[in-house]
Amino acid sequence: MSLFRKLGEPGAAPATLTRRSFLIAAAGTGFVMAFANASVLLPESADALVATKSYDPNLWFRIDQQGLITVHVIRAEMGQHVGTALARILADELEADWSSVRIEHVDSDPKWGMMVTGGSWSVWQSFPLLSKAGAAGRIALIEEGARLLGVSPSACTARDSTVSAGGRSISYAQIVQRGNLSRQFSADELDALPTKPASERRLVGVDTQAIDIPGKTNGQALYGIDAHLEGMVYARPKIPPTRNGSTVVSVDDAAAKAVAGYRGHVVLEDPSDTVPGWVMVFADSTAAAIKAADLVEVKWTNDDTASVSEKDLLDHSARLIADPAAGSTVVDDAGVDAAFAAAATTFEAEYTTASVLHFQLEPVNATAQLKDGMWEIHTGNQWQSLILPTLAKALGVGEDKVVMRTYLLGGGFGRRLNGDYAVPAALAAKALGKPVKMTCTRADDARFDSFRSPSLQRLRMGFDADGRVVAMQHDACAGWPTKVMVPAFMPKGKNGEPYDPFAIAGADHWYTVGAHRVRALSNDLANRSFRPGWLRSVGPGWTNWALESFMDEAAHKRGVDPLAFRLGLLDGAGANAGSAPNAVGGALRQAAVLRRVAEISGWGSTLPPDTGLGIASSFGQERDMPTWVTCVARVRVNRDTGLVTTEKLFLVTDAGTVVHPDGALAQTEGAALWGLSMALHEGTQFENGQVRDTNLGTYTPLRMGDVPDLQIEFIASTEAAVGLGEPSTTVVAPAIANAIFNAVGVRLRHLPMRPADVLAALRKPAKA
């Protein structure tokens, strides 16, 4: 569900330039490209508008007098090279010399609109906007270049930051130096502005080194943990036994006073209720703060969530699913109950997933100070627009008094969509009256994580006498991050009940299954007990696990090849036909990636004993921005130990236009390995109000020695560019589960699938 969409609107478009215009003008020592609100489009010159700043300075790029082009990037950089991809889009339309392009990750400001990096949205939402920005800039430069050359704009072309006409040319730098740039595009003109056909693109889809690689390798790149402010004090929190409902009774810091550099502590008072029961320990260094905090003893009172366990959460999910009136119906075709009643046979299965931590490399941290009446928050963050109102509430100031300074993220994976970690740093700085740098240890980070909720899902399918699918229902229950952190973004289901789109996306699949119902249920106990978060792949990380495992089980129940079964349901009929601009081709494109991955993986070939191929497919995140992806996993199972070895993963993706091929490959590789990690290795348990595993001694993500061969292909396409950061994550676990079944005949329905689970299943084989 796009955050740029009106609530409840079923539309499917990325952010647009509606009711805005572009202003192109000389400003200071360079050239700027800005948005001007339609309401201020008066017959004034662009120069006057720039001079008076009577426009919304939403600047997407600038060109200085040396011809350097700086693209302003509002998306967070966390290893995915998003700035390079976005700059390629704009620079291609601008006809820029790529060697002159730079990127600048900007600080928070209302002029940028919604600042969020997640859901694999960045390229999808930015492509139309940045294409128009580049095209408008090119036109303005050509027009002014033509004037300086004394020719008609129609006689000019632009290429490599140069405007040419016949045998004469003028560079963009010279136009900025000598010209009088003044050009305005109305909203209607922008709508009609042509952008390049795919055949004329010179940067989009052409490989290049990411712009930010040098800084990341030579140490110049600054991450949140590198932030340093003059006179700052270092801090580490004492985190209470529960995420919510804890209150400090007493603090004893007698032992901590023996630590050199210890400066004291403060019980945080938080009007935003983000960090209830927190105590902040101060020192002259991070090391001293960590050591002192270990010695500070705090007593708390807690609410009933201090006794909640993972089993309690899953049992509560089961009770909710058992109530047919509970939840929100996201898909609810007519006649579902009647179709099941008339079905010749039915099949039902239940799937679960464990709690999953983010465990990003850089533990959460934030540095805060009050400077010239403005609160500055220095940290890496994925969703500035979400946490700014909370920071303002916590500090008791207006949002216009808080700015987030931008840094690189040492891993995000959705953890830094929730910027809650900025709040305690800000409160500590306010209480102390000095800049404060708060750094969490790995264990603090794990205990404070907005981890992925455990989930329970129940799927049911009905067949007629000829074995055709006539009905399907998918019920999914988990903690809902959107309900906890941004409930205003929840649309309403067919029954009028709100739902979290990020906790059910993926269940509204593209298979034609007769009468179809999808029901989303919020686990209110989970929502109270911790703060459910978004984690790479979001809802499809569990919904597609259940869906694609279930599709395989249904195929085997019918005695049909799982590939053929899926292809038979991906007929592109009715609502699954797809539509412009983002889902052209619909289910038929999903069928195409299935066929291709079957070809490259040798689907149907004879394999050694205890070795199997498994297949799974998906449309990635959301129906209005589908990324068609399919995985075949080849695994070998050791019957004596239960160890599953993933020998190879084959992946085929249709993501429409691929902007930055090397980045796309890296995103897919990372997503697939993250999916493998969650399939066989990653997962914790919620025990006594908090997660059981808090460090890498017991929480065991994928190790290098477990990385399989990867064979990855992209379908060549000129369709709309969609997302690549997460879709491949969703297909790996079900492909592995399906491969395990084909290898040794046992069916696993819980993630992660550990050796003990395999051994237990081998002792009592599941029926095909």
Side-chain angles (χ1 to χ4, degrees), residues 722-736:
V722 285
L724 275 168
E726 298 165 294
S728 293
T729 304
T730 73
V731 290
V732 174
I736 290 174

Side-chain angles (χ1 to χ4, degrees), residues 314-446:
L314 292 174
D315 287 347
H316 190 58
S317 287
R319 288 191 292 271
L320 291 168
I321 287 176
D323 179 1
S328 175
T329 48
V330 180
V331 177
D332 198 11
D333 294 342
V336 173
D337 295 328
F340 272 114
T345 59
T346 62
F347 171 62
E348 184 175 305
E350 197 170 90
Y351 304 86
T352 55
T353 61
S355 299
V356 181
L357 297 166
H358 289 90
F359 247 98
Q360 70 289 337
L361 180 63
E362 179 195 7
V364 291
N365 59 85
T367 305
Q369 73 171 350
L370 179 63
K371 182 179 181 181
D372 300 328
M374 177 72 70
W375 280 99
E376 293 185 354
I377 312 299
H378 297 251
T379 189
N381 184 259
Q382 292 179 246
W383 195 352
Q384 296 90 328
S385 299
L386 176 63
I387 195 59
L388 278 167
T390 303
L391 280 164
K393 183 177 181 180
L395 292 167
V397 299
E399 285 184 50
D400 62 336
K401 298 299 182 183
V402 184
V403 62
M404 297 195 75
R405 303 302 186 197
T406 295
Y407 292 78
L408 301 185
L409 283 60
F413 312 121
R415 172 59 183 99
R416 288 178 164 93
L417 283 166
N418 175 16
D420 52 356
Y421 49 90
V423 172
L427 290 172
K430 182 178 181 180
L432 206 61
K434 294 182 179 181
V436 170
K437 179 174 186 175
M438 182 204 74
T439 304
C440 288
T441 65
R442 178 67 65 199
D444 297 336
D445 190 356

Side-chain angles (χ1 to χ4, degrees), residues 305 307-314 525 685-689:
T305 61
S307 62
V308 173
S309 70
E310 189 110 343
K311 183 178 185 301
D312 295 331
L313 297 172
L314 292 174
L525 180 60
Q685 296 284 313
F686 195 69
E687 295 177 352
N688 298 318

Side-chain angles (χ1 to χ4, degrees), residues 25-313:
T29 60
F31 159 98
V32 297
M33 156 101 212
F35 276 146
N37 287 330
S39 60
V40 299
L41 295 184
L42 304 175
E44 304 168 271
S45 70
D47 288 338
L49 285 172
V50 169
T52 62
K53 297 187 182 298
S54 56
Y55 65 100
D56 180 11
N58 205 338
L59 311 178
W60 295 109
F61 72 96
R62 67 179 184 270
I63 305 176
D64 69 14
Q65 292 190 357
Q66 286 69 50
L68 286 178
I69 300 164
T70 300
V71 179
H72 291 164
V73 178
I74 67 171
R75 312 297 181 183
E77 171 55 40
M78 44 194 167
Q80 81 279 40
H81 305 304
V82 66
T84 297
L86 300 185
R88 294 289 270 191
I89 296 167
L90 189 148
D92 201 329
E93 288 290 345
L94 185 63
E95 292 291 2
D97 175 358
W98 181 247
S99 67
S100 298
V101 176
R102 307 290 185 268
I103 58 175
E104 181 179 282
H105 292 272
V106 299
D107 295 336
S108 67
D109 193 304
K111 69 186 181 183
W112 302 117
M114 180 70 72
M115 295 184 73
V116 60
T117 311
S120 301
W121 290 344
S122 294
V123 167
W124 171 64
Q125 289 182 335
S126 301
F127 200 112
L129 184 148
L130 295 179
S131 294
K132 296 288 188 181
R138 181 187 72 244
I139 290 170
L141 286 159
I142 286 176
E143 290 177 348
E144 185 60 12
R147 187 186 69 79
L148 292 170
L149 291 172
V151 298
S152 167
S154 62
C156 296
T157 58
R159 181 78 61 86
D160 293 331
S161 293
T162 300
V163 174
S164 302
R168 303 173 62 200
S169 64
I170 185 170
S171 70
Y172 286 2
Q174 291 171 318
I175 295 171
V176 171
Q177 293 165 11
R178 297 164 45 194
N180 181 25
L181 285 159
S182 179
R183 181 68 158 92
Q184 193 165 295
F185 295 84
S186 70
D188 289 340
E189 286 174 327
L190 283 171
D191 288 341
L193 195 65
T195 53
K196 288 183 179 182
S199 61
E200 294 182 12
R201 291 171 179 157
R202 281 176 275 276
L203 297 178
V204 167
V206 178
D207 221 344
T208 185
Q209 176 176 286
I211 292 175
D212 57 10
I213 286 178
K216 290 177 177 177
T217 54
N218 65 20
Q220 291 183 339
L222 292 178
Y223 294 81
I225 206 164
D226 297 321
H228 181 85
L229 301 177
E230 191 67 31
M232 69 184 186
V233 175
Y234 299 82
R236 178 196 171 192
K238 292 288 290 187
I239 297 176
T242 62
R243 179 61 195 245
N244 306 298
S246 287
T247 303
V248 175
V249 175
S250 64
V251 181
D252 182 355
D253 68 345
K257 291 177 180 178
V259 176
Y262 172 62
R263 286 199 176 191
H265 69 275
V266 65
V267 177
L268 297 183
E269 299 294 333
D270 181 11
S272 72
D273 206 32
T274 303
V275 286
W278 274 45
V279 175
M280 196 68 77
V281 177
F282 303 107
D284 291 338
S285 68
T286 296
I290 290 172
K291 186 176 181 180
D294 283 335
L295 298 174
V296 172
E297 295 184 3
V298 183
K299 292 182 180 179
W300 290 273
T301 59
N302 317 117
D303 65 11
D304 62 322
T305 61
S307 62
V308 173
S309 70
E310 189 110 343
K311 183 178 185 301
D312 295 331
L313 297 172

Side-chain angles (χ1 to χ4, degrees), residues 353 452 455 457 459 474 476 502-508 537-549 620-621 730:
T353 61
R452 192 176 82 177
S455 72
Q457 299 174 81
L459 284 80
H474 187 157
F502 304 106
I504 196 63
D508 51 345
S537 78
V538 205
W542 67 75
T543 60
N544 206 54
W545 152 248
L547 173 64
E548 286 299 296
S549 296
Q621 301 298 114
T730 73

